[in-house]
Amino acid sequence: MVEFRVFQSTKKIILQAKMFTSILRNSYNTNRVAFNAIRSFSTAQKPINVNSLVVEKTKQPLPKFTDKNKLIFGKEFSDHMLEIEWDINNGWSAPKISAYHNLSLPPSASVFHYAIECFEGMKAYKDKEGKVRLFRPMENMKRFATSAERLCLPSFDKEAVIELIKKLVLLDQDWIPEGKGYSLYLRPTLIATQKSLGVSASNSALMFVIASPVGPYYPEGFKPVRLLADDRFIRAWVGGSGAFKLGSNYAPTIFPQLDAAKKGYSQVLWLLNDYVTEVGTMNMFVLWKNNQGELELITPPLTDGTILPGVTRDSILKLAQQWGEFKVSEKNFTMSELAKAIKEGRVKEAFGAGTAAIVSPIKSINYKGEEYPIPIDAAKGAGPLTSRIADTIMGIQYGEIPSEWSVVLN
Amino acid sequence: MVEFRVFQSTKKIILQAKMFTSILRNSYNTNRVAFNAIRSFSTAQKPINVNSLVVEKTKQPLPKFTDKNKLIFGKEFSDHMLEIEWDINNGWSAPKISAYHNLSLPPSASVFHYAIECFEGMKAYKDKEGKVRLFRPMENMKRFATSAERLCLPSFDKEAVIELIKKLVLLDQDWIPEGKGYSLYLRPTLIATQKSLGVSASNSALMFVIASPVGPYYPEGFKPVRLLADDRFIRAWVGGSGAFKLGSNYAPTIFPQLDAAKKGYSQVLWLLNDYVTEVGTMNMFVLWKNNQGELELITPPLTDGTILPGVTRDSILKLAQQWGEFKVSEKNFTMSELAKAIKEGRVKEAFGAGTAAIVSPIKSINYKGEEYPIPIDAAKGAGPLTSRIADTIMGIQYGEIPSEWSVVLN
């Protein structure tokens, strides 16, 4: 094509790419879409009613884990699950907690064909006094609701779903392994169940919550990871759906992740035309000395719809702002900028952030065939800020540090 | 950001955007990923064995449609379905054809959480002599296999799956409504069934095929559609997975489609930084007088991984090339170019192409608030080329025009 001739060198192409991406990313905010306005449901529809909850306790308790140190993430599930059905004529049916069981769905259900599905990841913790706690559950519910709106799935009373999750957790509280770092992972999920192959908004849906006992992400201290910045794949793009927790954001990442693993890297560092966006299934943070010589914690902003608004991400930003010890910025940065800063010794720490690990320290990034090492405290396996964040958030989660973020259930 | 200052006008920004997209789209081909090489399965794994097929005929036949003219796409299903299970240790289990039934899957199955699912759309036709026919089934199977590879799902013997589909269709041939335009829509689907919340390649899967009797897309002649070229949403992007028939490509399109419908448009015309890519769930074709004054049929090329390689798309390109009456090009074009050509009276016809409708004539496109009308033969509801393509492909599908593309089953 004729436009090729305009450019003289690869360097210039990259520069153009950055310029364009920058414009696109910065301009997106202004014409943002009001996703919640698209589908109006009848006011006759029933909302979720906590008082109509039906609890059918299991008659065949599942074999519980005998060694909490052998738990594998998301493999074992607790005795019970929560289900709430929805259809466009009647709204939400009576919530039900019953024995963990298979779902029975017609093969035509749209969840199997068009990936109309979204989910959340959150945890229940048992503190030293045996009290059960959740961490910022309303943040998960808010995001769950926006994901549902993005898929034209029904809205719901967020408080009601939290109440129902609390009841499930309390019923299965023996499934929360004891000890710091252990928890019961909760997976609220919403799937489209419409029995039709037409590509359209679903007129029926099922919300369910399952619970899986999990051990600490790092049972023996941090294990810093090596990343592959693979520019062949883009996780999310401006005008796509990367800001929502949809199943559809995950399927295409399996291949790049497996490819990175085969090459000896733990995770993919996702780039968008050289801009750093996320790491594996986590948000990305860097502590560096910026070009102005200031110590600064940076993470990409939520403005252009390519970044998942992580609850851990938000918590880290709020904590760091409270500490007030260094600059805290949500801003775009490129892998080229990051590579340059690493070479100049300006990068102090880098880590991923998410519910599963809280923080996952990064020890190096492979970018265009070159390895960029990031400082790590060899004894701890993480830098001081990374450790401090992990300690603080865990302290809050297990009730050792008083905070509104930790919600006691009993 | 500093890069903003480089640009002086919106026009220049659009120009830059086009340049960059052009580079990205044209350069992608060279570093294309070998998706099939990622996962090696044990040679001890069993392939799909047609001879081990188990057929359990239904004891409760479903109520069959009484009026073939009242069929709604994908709402009713035939008496039987085909299922083949796979797991990483044993490979493919014995195929089974049995009564249409619900699937029973654990709520932890990865298809519900990470959208690890892909599908195909194809049809069985009954010709005037009562013979049952498929249209280019191997093309669907090839694409099905590449979709599976993209998701790290297992490979399979394509011939074997076609044989099994033939057996299902012949068993349920009474479900194929008679008459031209009527057919039995077939939906091969492959879903990940791994019982784990870890985001990883699935170690188990289920392939199933269901069949739905459908009427003609246009029972009373063509109904040309109005499109909304909505630049707020991007269906697929370079480095994404738009070239594969994955469920994950569909979920994010529900909202834009509903939004377009509310505004009075039948379909979204998908743009990628102003480049025309697809229309709704179809490939996009334009017949125009190009800048050189040549009559030319154009459709975006498959080179950058953003376009679904449609079987109907491929059939149209091959037919038009055989006819040799005008230039046939797979090339990128922007909506600005198309709008300019419409204004200059150079656009003769435009249509979408896919299995459901074969061709769907377009009568206008809304772009940046302006309506761009495309010529339509008012009596027929479609231009002469659009009609001719529909007639030719239907002629082949129903055995009236001899062709290798039509495969007789009995």
Side-chain angles (χ1 to χ4, degrees), chain B residues 110 115 125 165 193 235 269 352 372 385 410:
Chain B
S110 38
Y125 313 86
I165 288 175
T193 56
R235 189 197 82 93
L269 181 64
Y372 292 87
L385 177 65
N410 52 349

Side-chain angles (χ1 to χ4, degrees), chain A residues 16 38 103 105 117 237 262, chain B residues 16 38 103 105 115 237 262:
Chain A
Q16 296 284 358
I38 192 71
L103 302 178
L105 291 167
E117 58 191 67
W237 65 108
K262 282 210 167 186
Chain B
Q16 297 284 359
I38 192 72
L103 302 177
L105 291 167
W237 66 110
K262 284 212 163 184

Side-chain angles (χ1 to χ4, degrees), chain A residues 1 3-4 6-7 13 16-24 26-28 31 33-40 73-75 77 81 100-108 110-119 149-152 185 187 189 191 194-201 208 210 212 231-241 246-259 262 273 275 281 332, chain B residues 1 3-4 6-7 13 16-24 26-28 31 33-40 73-75 77 81 100-108 110-119 149-152 185 187 189 191 194-201 208 210 212 231-241 246-259 262 273 275 281 332:
Chain A
M1 311 239 346
E3 287 93 344
F4 266 112
V6 179
F7 299 103
I13 290 176
Q16 296 284 358
K18 275 191 222 168
M19 281 178 193
F20 170 57
T21 309
S22 168
I23 289 159
L24 211 63
N26 285 287
S27 66
Y28 188 73
N31 59 14
V33 186
F35 283 104
N36 54 349
I38 192 71
R39 216 175 173 200
S40 55
F73 176 79
K75 284 266 185 196
F77 295 90
M81 65 188 286
Y100 184 86
H101 62 270
N102 273 15
L103 302 178
S104 174
L105 291 167
S108 60
S110 38
V111 65
F112 294 129
H113 303 270
Y114 309 126
I116 307 179
E117 58 191 67
C118 58
F119 67 94
E149 282 164 356
R150 181 65 182 85
L151 295 174
C152 304
Y185 181 84
R187 173 55 63 93
T189 312
I191 61 174
Q194 178 141 309
K195 297 185 275 187
S196 162
L197 298 181
V199 181
S200 63
F208 65 84
I210 52 178
S212 172
D231 64 0
R232 296 171 307 162
F233 302 102
I234 295 177
R235 187 196 85 92
W237 65 108
V238 179
S241 56
L246 312 185
S248 56
N249 291 332
Y250 293 80
T253 70
I254 305 288
F255 185 99
Q257 167 60 32
L258 203 57
D259 189 58
K262 282 210 167 186
N273 305 333
Y275 279 91
T281 59
N332 289 315
Chain B
M1 307 235 353
E3 289 93 345
F4 265 113
V6 179
F7 300 103
I13 289 175
Q16 297 284 359
K18 276 191 220 167
M19 282 178 192
F20 170 56
T21 309
S22 168
I23 290 159
L24 210 63
N26 285 286
S27 66
Y28 188 72
N31 58 15
V33 186
F35 283 103
N36 54 349
I38 192 72
R39 215 174 174 200
S40 55
F73 176 79
K75 283 266 186 196
F77 295 90
M81 64 188 286
Y100 184 86
H101 63 269
N102 273 14
L103 302 177
S104 174
L105 291 167
S108 60
S110 38
V111 67
F112 295 128
H113 304 270
Y114 309 125
I116 307 178
E117 57 192 67
C118 58
F119 67 95
E149 282 163 355
R150 181 64 180 85
L151 294 173
C152 305
Y185 180 85
R187 174 55 63 94
T189 313
I191 61 174
Q194 179 141 309
K195 300 186 273 189
S196 162
L197 298 181
V199 180
S200 63
F208 65 86
I210 53 178
S212 172
D231 64 0
R232 297 171 305 162
F233 301 103
I234 295 178
R235 189 197 82 93
W237 66 110
V238 180
S241 56
L246 312 185
S248 56
N249 292 331
Y250 293 81
T253 71
I254 305 288
F255 184 98
Q257 167 61 31
L258 203 57
D259 189 59
K262 284 212 163 184
N273 304 333
Y275 279 92
T281 59
N332 288 316

